[in-house]
PDB file of all heavy atoms in Angstrom:
ATOM      1  N   GLN A   2      24.209   7.141  15.891  1.00 94.00           N
ATOM      2  CA  GLN A   2      24.614   6.034  16.830  1.00 94.00           C
ATOM      3  C   GLN A   2      24.785   4.737  16.087  1.00 94.00           C
ATOM      4  O   GLN A   2      23.956   4.304  15.295  1.00 94.00           O
ATOM      5  CB  GLN A   2      23.524   5.770  17.828  1.00 94.00           C
ATOM      6  CG  GLN A   2      23.284   6.937  18.929  1.00 94.00           C
ATOM      7  CD  GLN A   2      22.173   6.404  19.976  1.00 94.00           C
ATOM      8  OE1 GLN A   2      21.412   5.660  19.671  1.00 94.00           O
ATOM      9  NE2 GLN A   2      22.239   7.095  21.131  1.00 94.00           N
ATOM     10  N   LEU A   3      25.896   3.994  16.438  1.00 97.00           N
ATOM     11  CA  LEU A   3      26.011   2.634  15.941  1.00 97.00           C
ATOM     12  C   LEU A   3      25.878   1.656  17.027  1.00 97.00           C
ATOM     13  O   LEU A   3      26.648   1.782  18.097  1.00 97.00           O
ATOM     14  CB  LEU A   3      27.422   2.494  15.313  1.00 97.00           C
ATOM     15  CG  LEU A   3      27.777   1.098  14.770  1.00 97.00           C
ATOM     16  CD1 LEU A   3      26.924   0.786  13.548  1.00 97.00           C
ATOM     17  CD2 LEU A   3      29.219   0.981  14.433  1.00 97.00           C
ATOM     18  N   ASP A   7      27.458  -7.914  19.326  1.00 97.00           N
ATOM     19  CA  ASP A   7      28.790  -8.734  19.331  1.00 97.00           C
ATOM     20  C   ASP A   7      28.506 -10.003  20.135  1.00 97.00           C
ATOM     21  O   ASP A   7      28.294  -9.885  21.353  1.00 97.00           O
ATOM     22  CB  ASP A   7      29.965  -7.919  19.704  1.00 97.00           C
ATOM     23  CG  ASP A   7      31.277  -8.477  19.391  1.00 97.00           C
ATOM     24  OD1 ASP A   7      31.460  -9.730  19.737  1.00 97.00           O
ATOM     25  OD2 ASP A   7      32.138  -7.912  18.623  1.00 97.00           O
ATOM     26  N   GLU A   9      30.573 -11.976  21.361  1.00 96.00           N
ATOM     27  CA  GLU A   9      31.516 -12.111  22.417  1.00 96.00           C
ATOM     28  C   GLU A   9      31.709 -10.842  23.350  1.00 96.00           C
ATOM     29  O   GLU A   9      31.718 -11.010  24.555  1.00 96.00           O
ATOM     30  CB  GLU A   9      32.880 -12.511  21.811  1.00 96.00           C
ATOM     31  CG  GLU A   9      32.955 -13.771  21.146  1.00 96.00           C
ATOM     32  CD  GLU A   9      34.335 -14.216  20.630  1.00 96.00           C
ATOM     33  OE1 GLU A   9      35.228 -13.862  21.280  1.00 96.00           O
ATOM     34  OE2 GLU A   9      34.394 -14.881  19.653  1.00 96.00           O
ATOM     35  N   LEU A  12      26.596  -6.236  23.771  1.00 97.00           N
ATOM     36  CA  LEU A  12      25.939  -5.333  23.090  1.00 97.00           C
ATOM     37  C   LEU A  12      26.603  -3.881  23.204  1.00 97.00           C
ATOM     38  O   LEU A  12      26.810  -3.455  24.257  1.00 97.00           O
ATOM     39  CB  LEU A  12      24.430  -5.066  23.537  1.00 97.00           C
ATOM     40  CG  LEU A  12      23.615  -3.923  22.859  1.00 97.00           C
ATOM     41  CD1 LEU A  12      23.541  -4.243  21.408  1.00 97.00           C
ATOM     42  CD2 LEU A  12      22.246  -3.912  23.576  1.00 97.00           C
ATOM     43  N   MET A  13      27.146  -3.315  22.032  1.00 97.00           N
ATOM     44  CA  MET A  13      28.047  -2.213  22.090  1.00 97.00           C
ATOM     45  C   MET A  13      27.259  -0.895  21.424  1.00 97.00           C
ATOM     46  O   MET A  13      26.520  -1.187  20.504  1.00 97.00           O
ATOM     47  CB  MET A  13      29.282  -2.577  21.287  1.00 97.00           C
ATOM     48  CG  MET A  13      29.908  -3.741  21.616  1.00 97.00           C
ATOM     49  SD  MET A  13      30.452  -3.945  23.435  1.00 97.00           S
ATOM     50  CE  MET A  13      31.800  -2.759  23.375  1.00 97.00           C
ATOM     51  N   CYS A  39      17.538  -6.567  21.630  1.00 97.00           N
ATOM     52  CA  CYS A  39      18.567  -7.417  21.324  1.00 97.00           C
ATOM     53  C   CYS A  39      18.289  -8.830  21.859  1.00 97.00           C
ATOM     54  O   CYS A  39      17.657  -8.863  22.931  1.00 97.00           O
ATOM     55  CB  CYS A  39      19.885  -6.898  21.927  1.00 97.00           C
ATOM     56  SG  CYS A  39      21.391  -7.892  21.623  1.00 97.00           S
ATOM     57  N   PHE A  45      16.234 -12.067  25.641  1.00 91.00           N
ATOM     58  CA  PHE A  45      15.760 -11.048  24.834  1.00 91.00           C
ATOM     59  C   PHE A  45      15.596  -9.804  25.746  1.00 91.00           C
ATOM     60  O   PHE A  45      14.976  -9.713  26.839  1.00 91.00           O
ATOM     61  CB  PHE A  45      14.303 -11.409  24.309  1.00 91.00           C
ATOM     62  CG  PHE A  45      13.575 -10.252  23.703  1.00 91.00           C
ATOM     63  CD1 PHE A  45      13.895  -9.709  22.491  1.00 91.00           C
ATOM     64  CD2 PHE A  45      12.382  -9.605  24.323  1.00 91.00           C
ATOM     65  CE1 PHE A  45      13.266  -8.660  21.866  1.00 91.00           C
ATOM     66  CE2 PHE A  45      11.739  -8.519  23.821  1.00 91.00           C
ATOM     67  CZ  PHE A  45      12.132  -8.163  22.523  1.00 91.00           C
ATOM     68  N   CYS A  47      15.744  -5.119  26.190  1.00 96.00           N
ATOM     69  CA  CYS A  47      15.304  -3.998  25.596  1.00 96.00           C
ATOM     70  C   CYS A  47      16.114  -2.860  26.275  1.00 96.00           C
ATOM     71  O   CYS A  47      16.135  -2.811  27.503  1.00 96.00           O
ATOM     72  CB  CYS A  47      13.795  -3.726  25.723  1.00 96.00           C
ATOM     73  SG  CYS A  47      13.288  -2.055  25.396  1.00 96.00           S
ATOM     74  N   GLN A  54      19.953   2.603  28.907  1.00 94.00           N
ATOM     75  CA  GLN A  54      19.543   1.832  30.067  1.00 94.00           C
ATOM     76  C   GLN A  54      18.601   0.636  29.691  1.00 94.00           C
ATOM     77  O   GLN A  54      17.841   0.669  28.852  1.00 94.00           O
ATOM     78  CB  GLN A  54      18.699   2.648  31.074  1.00 94.00           C
ATOM     79  CG  GLN A  54      18.048   1.996  32.338  1.00 94.00           C
ATOM     80  CD  GLN A  54      17.184   3.005  33.064  1.00 94.00           C
ATOM     81  OE1 GLN A  54      17.048   4.038  32.745  1.00 94.00           O
ATOM     82  NE2 GLN A  54      16.620   2.496  34.208  1.00 94.00           N
ATOM     83  N   SER A  79      13.618 -18.048  15.531  1.00 96.00           N
ATOM     84  CA  SER A  79      14.413 -18.998  16.151  1.00 96.00           C
ATOM     85  C   SER A  79      14.836 -20.236  15.219  1.00 96.00           C
ATOM     86  O   SER A  79      13.907 -20.966  14.716  1.00 96.00           O
ATOM     87  CB  SER A  79      13.770 -19.724  17.404  1.00 96.00           C
ATOM     88  OG  SER A  79      14.491 -20.775  17.894  1.00 96.00           O
ATOM     89  N   GLY A  80      16.104 -20.274  14.752  1.00 94.00           N
ATOM     90  CA  GLY A  80      16.494 -21.327  13.877  1.00 94.00           C
ATOM     91  C   GLY A  80      16.500 -22.736  14.690  1.00 94.00           C
ATOM     92  O   GLY A  80      16.492 -23.654  13.916  1.00 94.00           O
ATOM     93  N   PHE A  88       6.747 -10.854  20.794  1.00 95.00           N
ATOM     94  CA  PHE A  88       6.787 -10.316  22.081  1.00 95.00           C
ATOM     95  C   PHE A  88       6.153  -8.905  22.126  1.00 95.00           C
ATOM     96  O   PHE A  88       6.115  -8.213  21.094  1.00 95.00           O
ATOM     97  CB  PHE A  88       8.226 -10.052  22.545  1.00 95.00           C
ATOM     98  CG  PHE A  88       9.133 -11.259  22.753  1.00 95.00           C
ATOM     99  CD1 PHE A  88       9.710 -11.986  21.660  1.00 95.00           C
ATOM    100  CD2 PHE A  88       9.345 -11.813  23.951  1.00 95.00           C
ATOM    101  CE1 PHE A  88      10.461 -13.098  21.745  1.00 95.00           C
ATOM    102  CE2 PHE A  88       9.986 -12.991  24.126  1.00 95.00           C
ATOM    103  CZ  PHE A  88      10.676 -13.650  23.055  1.00 95.00           C
ATOM    104  N   ILE A  95       5.758 -12.602  26.145  1.00 94.00           N
ATOM    105  CA  ILE A  95       5.527 -13.417  25.007  1.00 94.00           C
ATOM    106  C   ILE A  95       3.969 -13.443  24.637  1.00 94.00           C
ATOM    107  O   ILE A  95       3.194 -13.618  25.534  1.00 94.00           O
ATOM    108  CB  ILE A  95       5.957 -14.850  25.200  1.00 94.00           C
ATOM    109  CG1 ILE A  95       7.597 -14.839  25.311  1.00 94.00           C
ATOM    110  CG2 ILE A  95       5.583 -15.726  24.109  1.00 94.00           C
ATOM    111  CD1 ILE A  95       8.191 -16.283  25.569  1.00 94.00           C
ATOM    112  N   PHE A  97       2.467 -14.774  21.304  1.00 93.00           N
ATOM    113  CA  PHE A  97       2.202 -16.094  20.679  1.00 93.00           C
ATOM    114  C   PHE A  97       3.416 -16.398  19.773  1.00 93.00           C
ATOM    115  O   PHE A  97       4.287 -15.747  19.475  1.00 93.00           O
ATOM    116  CB  PHE A  97       0.955 -15.947  19.793  1.00 93.00           C
ATOM    117  CG  PHE A  97       0.610 -14.683  19.254  1.00 93.00           C
ATOM    118  CD1 PHE A  97       1.431 -14.138  18.230  1.00 93.00           C
ATOM    119  CD2 PHE A  97      -0.340 -13.809  19.721  1.00 93.00           C
ATOM    120  CE1 PHE A  97       1.203 -12.910  17.672  1.00 93.00           C
ATOM    121  CE2 PHE A  97      -0.607 -12.641  19.217  1.00 93.00           C
ATOM    122  CZ  PHE A  97       0.121 -12.112  18.195  1.00 93.00           C
ATOM    123  N   GLY A 148      17.836 -15.721   2.915  1.00 97.00           N
ATOM    124  CA  GLY A 148      17.325 -14.424   3.124  1.00 97.00           C
ATOM    125  C   GLY A 148      16.151 -13.982   2.473  1.00 97.00           C
ATOM    126  O   GLY A 148      15.814 -14.652   1.419  1.00 97.00           O
ATOM    127  N   VAL A 149      15.422 -13.051   2.987  1.00 98.00           N
ATOM    128  CA  VAL A 149      14.158 -12.555   2.370  1.00 98.00           C
ATOM    129  C   VAL A 149      14.015 -11.065   2.588  1.00 98.00           C
ATOM    130  O   VAL A 149      14.463 -10.583   3.638  1.00 98.00           O
ATOM    131  CB  VAL A 149      12.943 -13.304   3.065  1.00 98.00           C
ATOM    132  CG1 VAL A 149      12.829 -13.047   4.440  1.00 98.00           C
ATOM    133  CG2 VAL A 149      11.709 -13.007   2.165  1.00 98.00           C
ATOM    134  N   LEU A 167      26.983 -26.216  -4.330  1.00 85.00           N
ATOM    135  CA  LEU A 167      26.046 -25.182  -3.851  1.00 85.00           C
ATOM    136  C   LEU A 167      26.488 -23.787  -4.378  1.00 85.00           C
ATOM    137  O   LEU A 167      27.623 -23.451  -4.422  1.00 85.00           O
ATOM    138  CB  LEU A 167      26.096 -25.065  -2.268  1.00 85.00           C
ATOM    139  CG  LEU A 167      25.355 -26.209  -1.686  1.00 85.00           C
ATOM    140  CD1 LEU A 167      25.515 -25.991  -0.136  1.00 85.00           C
ATOM    141  CD2 LEU A 167      23.869 -26.083  -1.862  1.00 85.00           C
ATOM    142  N   GLU A 182      13.855 -16.114 -11.335  1.00 93.00           N
ATOM    143  CA  GLU A 182      15.294 -15.862 -11.054  1.00 93.00           C
ATOM    144  C   GLU A 182      15.879 -14.684 -11.608  1.00 93.00           C
ATOM    145  O   GLU A 182      15.725 -14.397 -12.811  1.00 93.00           O
ATOM    146  CB  GLU A 182      16.095 -17.177 -11.518  1.00 93.00           C
ATOM    147  CG  GLU A 182      17.587 -17.069 -11.151  1.00 93.00           C
ATOM    148  CD  GLU A 182      18.396 -18.195 -11.584  1.00 93.00           C
ATOM    149  OE1 GLU A 182      17.917 -19.371 -11.425  1.00 93.00           O
ATOM    150  OE2 GLU A 182      19.516 -17.961 -12.267  1.00 93.00           O
ATOM    151  N   ALA A 184      19.041 -13.284 -10.464  1.00 91.00           N
ATOM    152  CA  ALA A 184      20.547 -13.271 -10.443  1.00 91.00           C
ATOM    153  C   ALA A 184      21.089 -14.565  -9.878  1.00 91.00           C
ATOM    154  O   ALA A 184      20.279 -15.333  -9.212  1.00 91.00           O
ATOM    155  CB  ALA A 184      21.009 -12.075  -9.413  1.00 91.00           C
ATOM    156  N   ALA A 191      24.549 -15.631   1.845  1.00 96.00           N
ATOM    157  CA  ALA A 191      24.533 -15.271   3.332  1.00 96.00           C
ATOM    158  C   ALA A 191      23.316 -14.530   3.668  1.00 96.00           C
ATOM    159  O   ALA A 191      22.604 -15.077   4.528  1.00 96.00           O
ATOM    160  CB  ALA A 191      25.835 -14.470   3.581  1.00 96.00           C
ATOM    161  N   ALA A 219      24.210  -3.718  -9.850  1.00 82.00           N
ATOM    162  CA  ALA A 219      24.569  -2.237 -10.061  1.00 82.00           C
ATOM    163  C   ALA A 219      25.942  -2.042  -9.384  1.00 82.00           C
ATOM    164  O   ALA A 219      26.650  -1.150  -9.789  1.00 82.00           O
ATOM    165  CB  ALA A 219      23.589  -1.348  -9.452  1.00 82.00           C
ATOM    166  N   VAL A 228      27.556 -11.634   7.846  1.00 97.00           N
ATOM    167  CA  VAL A 228      26.462 -12.428   8.532  1.00 97.00           C
ATOM    168  C   VAL A 228      25.178 -11.493   8.600  1.00 97.00           C
ATOM    169  O   VAL A 228      24.140 -11.990   8.967  1.00 97.00           O
ATOM    170  CB  VAL A 228      26.942 -12.712   9.906  1.00 97.00           C
ATOM    171  CG1 VAL A 228      27.904 -13.841   9.862  1.00 97.00           C
ATOM    172  CG2 VAL A 228      27.420 -11.586  10.747  1.00 97.00           C
ATOM    173  N   PRO A 232      20.260  -1.568   5.278  1.00 94.00           N
ATOM    174  CA  PRO A 232      20.291  -0.305   4.714  1.00 94.00           C
ATOM    175  C   PRO A 232      20.549   0.753   5.768  1.00 94.00           C
ATOM    176  O   PRO A 232      20.240   0.552   6.969  1.00 94.00           O
ATOM    177  CB  PRO A 232      18.900  -0.060   4.196  1.00 94.00           C
ATOM    178  CG  PRO A 232      18.033  -1.022   4.945  1.00 94.00           C
ATOM    179  CD  PRO A 232      18.834  -2.178   5.317  1.00 94.00           C
ATOM    180  N   GLY A 236      24.479   4.126   3.370  1.00 91.00           N
ATOM    181  CA  GLY A 236      24.356   3.090   2.341  1.00 91.00           C
ATOM    182  C   GLY A 236      24.334   1.717   2.945  1.00 91.00           C
ATOM    183  O   GLY A 236      23.764   1.530   4.130  1.00 91.00           O
ATOM    184  N   LEU A 255      33.519   1.066  10.849  1.00 96.00           N
ATOM    185  CA  LEU A 255      32.894   1.840  11.926  1.00 96.00           C
ATOM    186  C   LEU A 255      33.148   1.179  13.254  1.00 96.00           C
ATOM    187  O   LEU A 255      33.098   1.817  14.348  1.00 96.00           O
ATOM    188  CB  LEU A 255      31.477   2.144  11.757  1.00 96.00           C
ATOM    189  CG  LEU A 255      31.022   2.664  10.354  1.00 96.00           C
ATOM    190  CD1 LEU A 255      29.499   2.842  10.192  1.00 96.00           C
ATOM    191  CD2 LEU A 255      31.653   4.071  10.273  1.00 96.00           C
ATOM    192  N   PRO A 259      35.455  -8.706  18.195  1.00 97.00           N
ATOM    193  CA  PRO A 259      35.702 -10.205  18.052  1.00 97.00           C
ATOM    194  C   PRO A 259      34.648 -10.937  17.207  1.00 97.00           C
ATOM    195  O   PRO A 259      34.933 -11.866  16.587  1.00 97.00           O
ATOM    196  CB  PRO A 259      35.774 -10.803  19.493  1.00 97.00           C
ATOM    197  CG  PRO A 259      34.991  -9.716  20.368  1.00 97.00           C
ATOM    198  CD  PRO A 259      35.149  -8.435  19.701  1.00 97.00           C
TER     199      PRO A 259
END
Side-chain angles (χ1 to χ4, degrees):
Q2 286 183 339
L3 178 68
D7 192 302
E9 295 183 29
L12 175 61
M13 313 298 290
C39 183
F45 168 73
C47 168
Q54 178 184 358
S79 170
F88 295 82
I95 292 180
F97 31 72
V149 65
L167 283 175
E182 182 179 311
V228 291
L255 304 176

